[in-house]
Amino acid sequence: MVSVTLPERLDSSAAFALKSEIEQAVKNTGGGQVALDASGVTYLGGLCLQVLLASRCPLVAPSEPVVEAYGLFGVSAYLTEPLASLKE
Amino acid sequence: MSGDMDDILLVFFQECEEQLQELERGLSALSDGESGKETINAVFRAVHSVKGGAASFGLENLVRFAHVFESSLDGLRSGRVAPTPEIVKTFLKAMDVLSDLVAEAQGGATVDTGRIEESRVELQAIIGEGSGSAGPKEDDTVPADFAPVPVDFEPVMADFDFGDFGVEEDAPADAASLVVTFSPHAAMYDRGDDARNLLIGLSDVAVAHGGTSMVTCETAALPALGSLETEKSYLSWRVVLPAAVPEESVHTVFDWVSDVCDVTITRDGGSSPGSSSQEEPAEAQAALAEPEAEPEAPVPAAVQAAPVQAPVAASHARTPTSIAEKIMAELPPAPTPAATAPIAAGNTATRRPVEQATIRVDLHRVDDLMDLVGELVIAQAALESIGQREDGGQQEMIKRIASMKTLTRDIQDAVMAVRAQPVRSVFQRMQRVVREACSMTNKDVVLTLEGEDTEVDRTLVEKLSDPLTHMLRNAVDHGIESAETRIAAGKPPTGQILLSAGHRSGRILITIKDDGGGINRERVLATAVKRGIIAPDAVLTDDEVNNLIFAPGFSTASTVSDLSGRGVGMDVVKQAILGLGGRVTINSVEGQGTTFCLSLPLTLAVLDGMLIVAAGSTMVVPVSSVVETMMVNHKDIYMLPDGANVVSIRGACMPLIPLASELGLDGYKAGGPSEEDVILVVENESGARAALIVEDIRDQAQVVIKSIEKNYRQMSGVSAATILGDGSVSLILDVPALVANALGRIDTRPSDVRTGLAA
């Protein structure tokens, strides 16, 4: 499983880069599973949260701030279980 | 309220003033078809700042209206709405309401709720909120703090609906927990804010009230990663707060994002009680049917109606698409009478010094002044050292005094610059005057401003407002014809009024030019005869007839309208302008329009004067009115059959006025002008010239104007007095009055065709 290490600060300005990075990783694996290493993340904002949730990738070793942020955003459930894939 | 608070408030109102000007400027630009992003943003910012500031001072009415305004503007900003002339007009109207609300907050007159309502409905209509779903929240809450005006309840009641999202339910639904749902717009993130902050705020609120918040995130709208636009906002949240949390504190959390985030706040389960405040028109009617309950107890009425309506309303609440609903929901709850009372009291108590006792000055102007004062100190030291010298240092002294003279003048200019203000502030206010006059008379008039940057002394700026208001109202009411008449006359249906300012030979010239029907001289004359202002057999020139409209008690309006026609206006205008040392002239061409020219001194303090001698006494003629000077040449002087003299100067004849005899001084020698006498060719504002004969020209100097009216009484031919360097008192001549007297006419006619053309 390919792992993407997430940057330290996931604020609004980081959203675009985050999306590109995850997309790139997904592409590289040829549609395989990509794990997001959230161990170094210290800040998570609303826009990046959207990207993380939309990626439907599991988080690996989420840092304390990430766990807190997921709690704050009311999405703790997705910490362990990514959002169900879209039925498209 | 503390003194500090007063100061801050004062600053806030000053800023409001500036923001409103900015708003006016932006909206004018919009109406001129300049709908650039920058313009729209500027307009938006202006309203937003007013709202933000007002929110921090708890000026509820202002905040609420500004909010609706802002939301509509946001429609413009986001490109959902195109700035059509109608929409810009609505915005302009809303701006008027907004500035009235600012004035109200400042302790001014209470704004008619009906007007606010009307404007609000129009604003909401812009962003696609029909009046049916628009929620004039005020209807059921505001009367508590406004003086009850029953009339206001009639038409608008019918369209209030959801209103307060549970404000009324506060009491009955005490135990219910507070449910907040919100979905941020992309714009919120643009602004650097984050949903995170709101959630933190909400959780803090919950903790502060001894509970915790329960957050659920709605992710249904989230697309797949590939089609996700990172700057867009897809998530929305539902937060359940403990019952103890008052709504106010939730509103506070959303205070700064209320325009970029959809929020709903409900009690308990979220559907029934909260949304039940969404009343149907029918229900409003029902509420209306109990008029006795309305003015003093609107809240019970609404609550009462709510349960009945709940099922219907609930279905509406399910579709939280109405922007207006969300807007209203975000608003801070209606102030209870108790809460507003101190504010209101504060308003009246603290807003006394409305007469802006302060001015804002560009820093560099103050710096310039400081530099000059520094120079002055050096010059003074230099003079002192010369005075102490043994040899007297005559030459040196004269040199120093000369430089000191320049310095004094520079300082004077610098001080004037500090006091100078562009006439823009007054001019822009006039847009509104015209707009209001238009809506009262059902005419369509465009006011064009020119030269708003012209700077004049601030005392003048302030005093210009009233006369200009009168004159513009007159121009709209009497000057511009009705659209039908205009079309019949082959003119475009929209009337044009030009208001311009400019400097002209040391004075400020303000012109108000309309393209209306011009002055109907026959009617003016007939009216004047009827009112006994002139004798029935009087023969008047066109100019004299025009000037009759300034006569006290004159009015041609057959009926007194709201706007004008009471016959006091123009007389007052003339007095006001004369009081400022100015003059009004009229130029009217029947069928083409009327031009009023106001000529005013730049300052009321100092003028450049020519010191002349008449009958042995020194007098001052303002340099600005002197065109040229020359020696008397008897060959050029001709006597008219009536005994008056004219002088021909390069082929142009003008009346010759021996100043001393004109002023009734004894010393004037009979036998006409002598060879030593000097001719001053003087001119009034409209270009009429006359030749004044004086004995000598002494000097040219700046003189300080001392009012003679204040200290003595008004004298014809003399505008003021001054004190000369030798300590003697000297009179400052009122040249235009002298010219007018000498010509034996009312005021201003060019003395011949050529000067008329040249002028």
Side-chain angles (χ1 to χ4, degrees):
Chain A
M1 186 160 37
V2 182
S3 167
V4 174
T5 309
L6 299 179
E8 205 173 303
R9 256 191 94 73
L10 290 174
D11 53 15
S12 298
S13 59
F16 187 76
L18 178 67
K19 182 193 164 198
S20 319
E21 196 176 344
I22 297 176
E23 274 181 328
Q24 192 61 43
V26 171
K27 216 166 118 195
N28 289 346
T29 58
Q33 184 68 281
V34 174
L36 306 176
D37 179 355
S39 56
V41 177
T42 56
Y43 177 93
L44 175 62
L47 287 183
C48 284
L49 177 74
Q50 291 185 160
V51 176
L52 295 184
L53 292 180
S55 75
R56 277 124 183 132
C57 296
L59 289 187
V60 176
S63 64
E64 190 60 23
V66 170
V67 175
E68 259 170 39
Y70 266 59
L72 185 66
F73 283 119
V75 291
S76 302
Y78 306 126
L79 263 180
T80 45
E81 192 66 28
L83 209 60
S85 347
L86 286 179
K87 308 159 205 85
E88 279 174 317
Chain B
M1 223 178 269
S2 72
D4 279 355
M5 203 58 187
D6 289 358
D7 287 351
I8 299 170
L9 255 177
L10 212 63
V11 171
F12 165 65
F13 286 125
Q14 274 174 11
E15 281 170 3
C16 273
E17 189 94 333
E18 283 166 20
Q19 297 296 353
L20 286 171
Q21 278 186 28
E22 191 65 35
L23 182 60
E24 171 99 54
R25 213 176 352 238
L27 288 178
S28 319
L30 274 183
S31 70
D32 294 344
E34 190 195 303
S35 54
K37 203 168 168 57
E38 208 22 70
T39 315
I40 293 173
N41 280 341
V43 169
F44 185 83
R45 266 198 307 272
V47 178
H48 185 73
S49 319
V50 171
K51 185 186 103 174
S56 15
F57 289 104
L59 303 168
E60 296 284 347
N61 296 330
L62 190 52
V63 177
R64 254 176 253 190
F65 186 78
H67 186 85
V68 178
F69 197 175
E70 190 187 9
S71 308
S72 300
L73 285 171
D74 191 47
L76 197 64
R77 196 171 64 151
S78 62
R80 270 183 295 148
V81 180
T84 62
E86 288 72 41
I87 285 181
V88 172
K89 227 175 224 171
T90 307
F91 283 151
L92 285 167
K93 203 165 144 193
M95 181 188 74
D96 294 345
V97 175
L98 189 69
S99 63
D100 280 352
L101 282 168
V102 170
E104 178 189 279
Q106 248 171 310
T110 307
V111 186
D112 181 12
T113 41
R115 245 185 83 216
I116 303 176
E117 210 41 63
E118 189 189 332
S119 186
R120 178 212 309 286
V121 170
E122 285 176 4
L123 284 176
Q124 285 169 342
I126 289 179
I127 46 170
E129 282 316 309
S131 55
S133 67
K137 179 178 183 171
E138 271 84 332
D139 273 345
D140 39 5
T141 53
V142 165
D145 43 272
F146 273 121
V149 186
V151 183
D152 298 331
F153 291 100
E154 285 161 23
V156 277
M157 280 305 280
D159 59 39
F160 79 162
D161 54 3
F162 68 98
D164 299 349
F165 278 88
V167 168
E168 289 102 6
E169 281 70 34
D170 260 354
D174 242 352
S177 48
L178 196 63
V179 179
V180 181
T181 57
F182 71 95
S183 47
H185 303 175
M188 191 184 89
Y189 291 102
D190 282 352
R191 220 185 263 175
D193 213 330
D194 202 306
R196 193 188 154 99
N197 302 341
L198 298 174
L199 290 164
I200 293 174
L202 289 174
S203 108
D204 286 351
V205 167
V207 170
H209 290 84
T212 49
S213 59
M214 244 180 60
V215 185
T216 33
C217 179
E218 180 52 70
T219 55
L222 201 63
L225 185 63
S227 47
L228 178 124
E229 287 176 56
T230 49
E231 71 278 14
K232 269 210 184 139
S233 173
Y234 298 95
L235 301 175
S236 55
W237 283 269
R238 182 168 182 273
V239 183
V240 181
L241 297 171
V245 176
E247 272 178 62
E248 282 86 335
S249 43
V250 177
H251 286 299
T252 320
V253 172
F254 290 97
D255 228 344
W256 294 104
V257 294
S258 51
D259 52 331
V260 286
C261 180
D262 299 339
V263 190
T264 56
I265 302 169
T266 49
R267 282 279 173 200
D268 206 10
S271 57
S272 68
S275 51
S276 71
S277 50
Q278 169 151 3
E279 294 168 38
E280 286 294 283
E283 175 189 0
Q285 295 294 3
L288 260 183
E290 318 168 318
E292 75 285 348
E294 204 83 332
E296 69 279 9
V299 172
V303 172
Q304 201 178 326
V308 187
Q309 235 13 76
V312 187
S315 67
H316 284 256
R318 295 277 180 219
T319 53
T321 47
S322 147
I323 295 168
E325 283 175 26
K326 292 166 191 160
I327 290 165
M328 297 316 290
E330 299 153 20
L331 288 177
T336 61
T340 36
I343 297 170
N347 285 356
T348 44
T350 61
R351 313 293 155 66
R352 260 314 105 67
V354 170
E355 282 283 313
Q356 287 184 356
T358 59
I359 51 169
R360 290 183 168 221
V361 181
D362 283 350
L363 195 59
H364 78 86
R365 292 191 175 179
V366 180
D367 289 345
D368 287 352
L369 187 58
M370 194 58 224
D371 284 350
L372 286 168
V373 171
E375 295 277 327
L376 185 66
V377 172
I378 296 169
Q380 179 221 338
L383 275 181
E384 264 173 15
S385 74
I386 293 168
Q388 282 161 1
R389 264 159 60 171
E390 294 291 318
D391 58 357
Q394 279 292 335
Q395 288 300 321
E396 187 70 13
M397 181 79 110
I398 289 166
K399 230 170 79 192
R400 289 290 173 186
I401 287 175
S403 74
M404 191 111 165
K405 208 166 148 187
T406 331
L407 200 56
T408 316
R409 189 174 260 261
D410 287 349
I411 291 180
Q412 194 190 318
D413 288 347
V415 174
M416 289 292 301
V418 166
R419 288 177 56 96
Q421 279 188 332
V423 289
R424 184 191 310 278
S425 56
V426 181
F427 270 30
Q428 286 191 336
R429 237 176 288 162
M430 294 305 132
Q431 287 283 13
R432 170 173 187 182
V433 169
V434 169
R435 265 200 308 280
E436 286 178 349
C438 284
S439 73
M440 273 190 224
T441 54
N442 284 324
K443 289 175 185 171
D444 202 7
V445 180
V446 174
L447 175 67
T448 314
L449 301 181
E450 267 179 21
E452 305 111 292
D453 291 326
T454 309
E455 289 196 329
V456 286
D457 199 83
R458 65 177 244 104
T459 46
L460 262 176
V461 172
E462 282 158 14
K463 287 177 180 160
L464 269 176
S465 178
D466 280 352
L468 286 182
T469 305
H470 269 300
M471 295 179 85
L472 282 168
R473 279 192 184 152
N474 253 295
V476 174
D477 200 15
H478 300 310
I480 304 286
E481 320 92 318
S482 66
E484 299 82 58
T485 320
R486 288 183 65 88
I487 292 169
K491 297 186 201 176
T494 305
Q496 296 282 345
I497 299 180
L498 173 75
L499 177 60
S500 72
H503 287 299
R504 188 180 172 216
S505 60
R507 290 173 81 85
I508 174 172
L509 199 68
I510 295 176
T511 50
I512 299 166
K513 185 177 178 185
D514 68 60
D515 70 343
I519 293 173
N520 184 335
R521 295 198 182 89
E522 278 111 78
R523 205 161 130 232
V524 168
L525 200 59
T527 316
V529 170
K530 204 170 78 197
R531 298 197 179 225
I533 294 167
I534 53 164
D537 55 350
V539 179
L540 298 173
T541 62
D542 286 354
D543 227 30
E544 288 169 306
V545 176
N546 287 347
N547 275 285
L548 281 174
I549 66 168
F550 288 124
F554 181 85
S555 172
T556 55
S558 32
T559 50
V560 173
S561 68
D562 279 348
L563 218 48
S564 48
R566 280 169 297 253
V568 282
M570 293 311 261
D571 171 35
V572 171
V573 167
K574 180 144 193 176
Q575 290 310 318
I577 300 297
L578 286 180
L580 293 174
R583 229 152 293 279
V584 194
T585 60
I586 311 175
N587 214 317
S588 176
V589 180
E590 193 139 7
Q592 289 179 26
T594 311
T595 307
F596 287 90
C597 277
L598 311 184
S599 158
L600 296 156
L602 277 181
T603 168
L604 307 174
V606 181
L607 68 77
D608 267 318
M610 190 177 272
L611 272 53
I612 51 107
V613 181
S617 34
T618 306
M619 298 183 190
V620 180
V621 178
V623 170
S624 57
S625 54
V626 177
V627 182
E628 60 181 316
T629 61
M630 60 185 60
M631 300 305 290
V632 172
N633 187 342
H634 278 284
K635 276 190 298 189
D636 294 332
I637 296 176
Y638 305 94
M639 187 180 279
L640 295 179
D642 63 356
N645 285 322
V646 294
V647 60
S648 161
I649 296 167
R650 292 187 292 277
C653 284
M654 59 190 75
L656 196 61
I657 313 167
L659 183 59
S661 69
E662 182 69 29
L663 292 173
L665 300 177
D666 291 336
Y668 185 63
K669 35 201 186 308
S674 75
E675 291 290 337
E676 286 85 54
D677 288 350
V678 182
I679 290 178
L680 299 183
V681 178
V682 293
E683 184 181 53
N684 70 5
E685 283 70 40
S686 61
R689 291 182 181 192
L692 284 183
I693 300 177
V694 301
E695 282 151 37
D696 193 13
I697 297 176
R698 280 266 170 82
D699 196 2
Q700 185 172 325
Q702 286 207 311
V703 295
V704 178
I705 300 172
K706 303 280 180 194
S707 169
I708 202 163
E709 271 168 65
K710 249 186 245 161
N711 301 314
Y712 178 53
R713 63 180 171 83
Q714 200 172 3
M715 287 192 330
S716 97
V718 175
S719 60
T722 188
I723 298 169
L724 297 178
D726 60 2
S728 64
V729 173
S730 168
L731 299 178
I732 300 173
L733 298 177
D734 184 357
V735 171
L738 285 175
V739 173
N741 281 348
L743 295 174
R745 303 201 179 102
I746 290 182
D747 215 354
T748 56
R749 183 128 58 117
S751 57
D752 67 22
V753 178
R754 206 160 342 141
T755 51
L757 286 176

